[in-house]
Short mmCIF file of all heavy atoms in Angstrom, two decimals:
data_model
loop_
_atom_site.label_atom_id
_atom_site.label_comp_id
_atom_site.label_asym_id
_atom_site.label_seq_id
_atom_site.Cartn_x
_atom_site.Cartn_y
_atom_site.Cartn_z
N VAL A 1 -99.65 -59.57 -138.24
CA VAL A 1 -99.12 -58.24 -137.94
C VAL A 1 -100.04 -57.17 -138.52
O VAL A 1 -100.71 -57.39 -139.54
CB VAL A 1 -97.69 -58.10 -138.54
CG1 VAL A 1 -97.72 -58.23 -140.05
CG2 VAL A 1 -97.03 -56.80 -138.12
N VAL A 2 -100.08 -56.00 -137.86
CA VAL A 2 -100.74 -54.82 -138.42
C VAL A 2 -99.69 -54.08 -139.24
O VAL A 2 -98.59 -53.78 -138.75
CB VAL A 2 -101.30 -53.90 -137.32
CG1 VAL A 2 -101.82 -52.60 -137.93
CG2 VAL A 2 -102.43 -54.60 -136.57
N LEU A 3 -100.02 -53.80 -140.50
CA LEU A 3 -99.07 -53.18 -141.42
C LEU A 3 -99.65 -51.90 -142.00
O LEU A 3 -100.77 -51.89 -142.53
CB LEU A 3 -98.75 -54.18 -142.55
CG LEU A 3 -97.74 -53.77 -143.61
CD1 LEU A 3 -96.37 -53.52 -143.00
CD2 LEU A 3 -97.65 -54.85 -144.69
N CYS A 4 -98.90 -50.80 -141.89
CA CYS A 4 -99.27 -49.52 -142.51
C CYS A 4 -98.17 -49.18 -143.52
O CYS A 4 -96.99 -49.11 -143.16
CB CYS A 4 -99.37 -48.41 -141.47
SG CYS A 4 -100.56 -48.72 -140.14
N VAL A 5 -98.56 -48.97 -144.77
CA VAL A 5 -97.58 -48.75 -145.84
C VAL A 5 -97.89 -47.43 -146.55
O VAL A 5 -98.98 -47.25 -147.09
CB VAL A 5 -97.60 -49.90 -146.86
CG1 VAL A 5 -96.51 -49.69 -147.92
CG2 VAL A 5 -97.39 -51.24 -146.16
N MET A 6 -96.91 -46.53 -146.56
CA MET A 6 -97.08 -45.24 -147.23
C MET A 6 -96.67 -45.36 -148.70
O MET A 6 -95.88 -46.24 -149.06
CB MET A 6 -96.25 -44.17 -146.52
CG MET A 6 -96.58 -44.01 -145.05
SD MET A 6 -95.73 -42.62 -144.27
CE MET A 6 -96.66 -41.24 -144.94
N ASP A 7 -97.20 -44.46 -149.52
CA ASP A 7 -96.93 -44.50 -150.96
C ASP A 7 -96.55 -43.09 -151.43
O ASP A 7 -97.35 -42.16 -151.33
CB ASP A 7 -98.18 -44.98 -151.71
CG ASP A 7 -97.88 -45.39 -153.15
OD1 ASP A 7 -97.08 -44.70 -153.80
OD2 ASP A 7 -98.44 -46.40 -153.61
N SER A 8 -95.33 -42.95 -151.94
CA SER A 8 -94.84 -41.64 -152.35
C SER A 8 -95.50 -41.13 -153.63
O SER A 8 -95.38 -39.95 -153.97
CB SER A 8 -93.32 -41.67 -152.55
OG SER A 8 -92.97 -42.59 -153.56
N ARG A 9 -96.22 -41.99 -154.34
CA ARG A 9 -96.89 -41.55 -155.57
C ARG A 9 -98.09 -40.67 -155.27
O ARG A 9 -98.53 -39.89 -156.12
CB ARG A 9 -97.33 -42.76 -156.40
CG ARG A 9 -96.20 -43.69 -156.83
CD ARG A 9 -96.78 -44.91 -157.52
NE ARG A 9 -97.79 -45.54 -156.68
CZ ARG A 9 -98.83 -46.22 -157.14
NH1 ARG A 9 -99.00 -46.37 -158.44
NH2 ARG A 9 -99.70 -46.76 -156.32
N PHE A 10 -98.65 -40.79 -154.07
CA PHE A 10 -99.82 -40.00 -153.69
C PHE A 10 -99.34 -38.72 -153.01
O PHE A 10 -99.01 -38.71 -151.83
CB PHE A 10 -100.73 -40.80 -152.75
CG PHE A 10 -102.11 -40.21 -152.61
CD1 PHE A 10 -103.20 -40.84 -153.21
CD2 PHE A 10 -102.34 -39.06 -151.88
CE1 PHE A 10 -104.47 -40.31 -153.09
CE2 PHE A 10 -103.61 -38.52 -151.75
CZ PHE A 10 -104.68 -39.14 -152.36
N MET A 11 -99.24 -37.66 -153.78
CA MET A 11 -98.81 -36.35 -153.28
C MET A 11 -97.53 -36.47 -152.45
O MET A 11 -97.41 -35.92 -151.37
CB MET A 11 -99.92 -35.67 -152.49
CG MET A 11 -101.13 -35.30 -153.32
SD MET A 11 -102.31 -34.24 -152.46
CE MET A 11 -101.37 -32.72 -152.29
N MET A 12 -96.58 -37.23 -152.97
CA MET A 12 -95.26 -37.43 -152.37
C MET A 12 -95.37 -38.01 -150.95
O MET A 12 -94.49 -37.80 -150.11
CB MET A 12 -94.48 -36.11 -152.36
CG MET A 12 -92.98 -36.26 -152.21
SD MET A 12 -92.29 -37.52 -153.30
CE MET A 12 -91.12 -38.29 -152.23
N GLY A 13 -96.41 -38.78 -150.70
CA GLY A 13 -96.57 -39.41 -149.39
C GLY A 13 -96.72 -38.41 -148.27
O GLY A 13 -96.43 -38.72 -147.10
N SER A 14 -97.16 -37.20 -148.58
CA SER A 14 -97.27 -36.15 -147.57
C SER A 14 -98.30 -36.54 -146.51
O SER A 14 -99.30 -37.19 -146.79
CB SER A 14 -97.62 -34.81 -148.21
OG SER A 14 -98.77 -34.94 -149.02
N MET A 15 -98.04 -36.11 -145.27
CA MET A 15 -98.89 -36.49 -144.14
C MET A 15 -99.90 -35.38 -143.84
O MET A 15 -99.56 -34.33 -143.32
CB MET A 15 -98.04 -36.77 -142.90
CG MET A 15 -98.89 -37.17 -141.69
SD MET A 15 -97.92 -37.78 -140.29
CE MET A 15 -96.93 -36.35 -139.89
N GLY A 16 -101.14 -35.65 -144.20
CA GLY A 16 -102.24 -34.77 -143.85
C GLY A 16 -103.04 -35.37 -142.71
O GLY A 16 -102.65 -36.35 -142.08
N LYS A 17 -104.20 -34.78 -142.46
CA LYS A 17 -105.03 -35.20 -141.34
C LYS A 17 -105.48 -36.65 -141.46
O LYS A 17 -105.46 -37.41 -140.49
CB LYS A 17 -106.26 -34.28 -141.25
CG LYS A 17 -107.14 -34.50 -140.03
CD LYS A 17 -108.25 -33.46 -139.97
CE LYS A 17 -109.11 -33.68 -138.72
NZ LYS A 17 -110.19 -32.65 -138.64
N VAL A 18 -105.87 -37.07 -142.65
CA VAL A 18 -106.37 -38.43 -142.84
C VAL A 18 -105.24 -39.45 -142.78
O VAL A 18 -105.42 -40.54 -142.24
CB VAL A 18 -107.16 -38.54 -144.17
CG1 VAL A 18 -107.51 -39.98 -144.49
CG2 VAL A 18 -108.44 -37.71 -144.07
N VAL A 19 -104.07 -39.10 -143.30
CA VAL A 19 -102.92 -40.00 -143.20
C VAL A 19 -102.60 -40.25 -141.73
O VAL A 19 -102.42 -41.39 -141.29
CB VAL A 19 -101.69 -39.44 -143.93
CG1 VAL A 19 -100.44 -40.24 -143.60
CG2 VAL A 19 -101.92 -39.44 -145.43
N GLY A 20 -102.55 -39.17 -140.93
CA GLY A 20 -102.30 -39.32 -139.51
C GLY A 20 -103.37 -40.12 -138.81
O GLY A 20 -103.09 -40.97 -137.95
N GLU A 21 -104.62 -39.88 -139.19
CA GLU A 21 -105.75 -40.59 -138.57
C GLU A 21 -105.71 -42.08 -138.89
O GLU A 21 -105.95 -42.92 -138.02
CB GLU A 21 -107.07 -39.98 -139.06
CG GLU A 21 -108.32 -40.60 -138.47
CD GLU A 21 -108.47 -40.39 -136.97
OE1 GLU A 21 -107.80 -39.49 -136.43
OE2 GLU A 21 -109.24 -41.13 -136.34
N LYS A 22 -105.42 -42.42 -140.15
CA LYS A 22 -105.35 -43.84 -140.53
C LYS A 22 -104.23 -44.56 -139.79
O LYS A 22 -104.39 -45.70 -139.34
CB LYS A 22 -105.17 -43.97 -142.05
CG LYS A 22 -106.40 -43.61 -142.85
CD LYS A 22 -106.20 -43.82 -144.34
CE LYS A 22 -106.22 -45.28 -144.72
NZ LYS A 22 -106.28 -45.49 -146.18
N ILE A 23 -103.08 -43.90 -139.65
CA ILE A 23 -101.98 -44.53 -138.92
C ILE A 23 -102.34 -44.69 -137.45
O ILE A 23 -102.04 -45.73 -136.84
CB ILE A 23 -100.68 -43.72 -139.10
CG1 ILE A 23 -100.22 -43.83 -140.57
CG2 ILE A 23 -99.58 -44.23 -138.17
CD1 ILE A 23 -99.04 -42.97 -140.92
N CYS A 24 -102.98 -43.68 -136.87
CA CYS A 24 -103.44 -43.79 -135.47
C CYS A 24 -104.41 -44.97 -135.31
O CYS A 24 -104.31 -45.74 -134.35
CB CYS A 24 -104.13 -42.50 -135.02
SG CYS A 24 -102.99 -41.17 -134.62
N LYS A 25 -105.33 -45.10 -136.24
CA LYS A 25 -106.27 -46.22 -136.19
C LYS A 25 -105.54 -47.55 -136.33
O LYS A 25 -105.92 -48.55 -135.71
CB LYS A 25 -107.32 -46.09 -137.30
CG LYS A 25 -108.36 -45.00 -137.05
CD LYS A 25 -109.36 -44.97 -138.20
CE LYS A 25 -110.45 -43.95 -137.96
NZ LYS A 25 -111.42 -43.91 -139.08
N GLY A 26 -104.48 -47.57 -137.16
CA GLY A 26 -103.68 -48.78 -137.30
C GLY A 26 -103.00 -49.15 -135.99
O GLY A 26 -102.96 -50.33 -135.61
N VAL A 27 -102.46 -48.15 -135.30
CA VAL A 27 -101.80 -48.40 -134.01
C VAL A 27 -102.83 -48.89 -132.99
O VAL A 27 -102.58 -49.84 -132.22
CB VAL A 27 -101.11 -47.12 -133.48
CG1 VAL A 27 -100.46 -47.39 -132.12
CG2 VAL A 27 -100.07 -46.62 -134.48
N GLU A 28 -104.01 -48.27 -132.97
CA GLU A 28 -105.07 -48.68 -132.04
C GLU A 28 -105.57 -50.08 -132.37
O GLU A 28 -105.91 -50.86 -131.46
CB GLU A 28 -106.21 -47.67 -132.08
CG GLU A 28 -105.85 -46.34 -131.45
CD GLU A 28 -106.87 -45.24 -131.73
OE1 GLU A 28 -107.72 -45.45 -132.64
OE2 GLU A 28 -106.80 -44.19 -131.07
N LEU A 29 -105.58 -50.43 -133.65
CA LEU A 29 -105.97 -51.78 -134.06
C LEU A 29 -104.97 -52.80 -133.52
O LEU A 29 -105.35 -53.86 -133.01
CB LEU A 29 -106.04 -51.86 -135.59
CG LEU A 29 -106.45 -53.19 -136.22
CD1 LEU A 29 -107.90 -53.54 -135.85
CD2 LEU A 29 -106.30 -53.14 -137.75
N ALA A 30 -103.68 -52.47 -133.64
CA ALA A 30 -102.64 -53.35 -133.10
C ALA A 30 -102.74 -53.47 -131.58
O ALA A 30 -102.55 -54.55 -131.00
CB ALA A 30 -101.26 -52.83 -133.50
N THR A 31 -103.08 -52.37 -130.92
CA THR A 31 -103.24 -52.38 -129.46
C THR A 31 -104.41 -53.26 -129.06
O THR A 31 -104.30 -54.09 -128.14
CB THR A 31 -103.47 -50.94 -128.94
OG1 THR A 31 -102.39 -50.10 -129.37
CG2 THR A 31 -103.55 -50.93 -127.42
N ARG A 32 -105.53 -53.08 -129.75
CA ARG A 32 -106.76 -53.81 -129.42
C ARG A 32 -106.61 -55.31 -129.65
O ARG A 32 -107.06 -56.12 -128.85
CB ARG A 32 -107.91 -53.24 -130.25
CG ARG A 32 -109.28 -53.71 -129.84
CD ARG A 32 -110.36 -52.86 -130.47
NE ARG A 32 -110.37 -52.89 -131.92
CZ ARG A 32 -110.00 -51.86 -132.70
NH1 ARG A 32 -109.56 -50.74 -132.16
NH2 ARG A 32 -110.05 -51.97 -134.01
N LYS A 33 -105.95 -55.67 -130.74
CA LYS A 33 -105.80 -57.08 -131.08
C LYS A 33 -104.50 -57.70 -130.55
O LYS A 33 -104.22 -58.87 -130.81
CB LYS A 33 -105.89 -57.26 -132.61
CG LYS A 33 -107.27 -56.96 -133.16
CD LYS A 33 -107.35 -57.28 -134.64
CE LYS A 33 -108.77 -57.09 -135.18
NZ LYS A 33 -109.69 -58.13 -134.68
N LYS A 34 -103.71 -56.87 -129.84
CA LYS A 34 -102.44 -57.33 -129.26
C LYS A 34 -101.52 -57.95 -130.32
O LYS A 34 -100.98 -59.04 -130.16
CB LYS A 34 -102.71 -58.32 -128.12
CG LYS A 34 -103.49 -57.70 -126.96
CD LYS A 34 -103.70 -58.68 -125.84
CE LYS A 34 -104.46 -58.02 -124.69
NZ LYS A 34 -104.74 -58.94 -123.57
#
C-alpha cells in the first residue's frame, strides 16, 4: 500500500505547498503502481 501519514508535531500538521505536493505525489505513486 501507499501510505501518507501526517504529524501534528510539525507546525500542527498544517498544510502548506510542500505538504500538498507530497500528498499529490503519493496519490500519483499509487496510481502509477496500481
Side-chain angles (χ1 to χ4, degrees):
V1 63
V2 172
L3 182 62
C4 302
V5 183
M6 303 186 75
D7 195 320
S8 61
R9 300 175 307 151
F10 196 106
M11 294 190 67
M12 200 47 220
S14 53
M15 180 170 62
K17 187 175 181 179
V18 171
V19 169
E21 181 66 17
K22 288 183 74 169
I23 292 174
C24 282
K25 286 181 177 180
V27 179
E28 289 169 346
L29 181 66
T31 304
R32 190 166 62 251
K33 292 186 175 289
K34 297 182 179 178

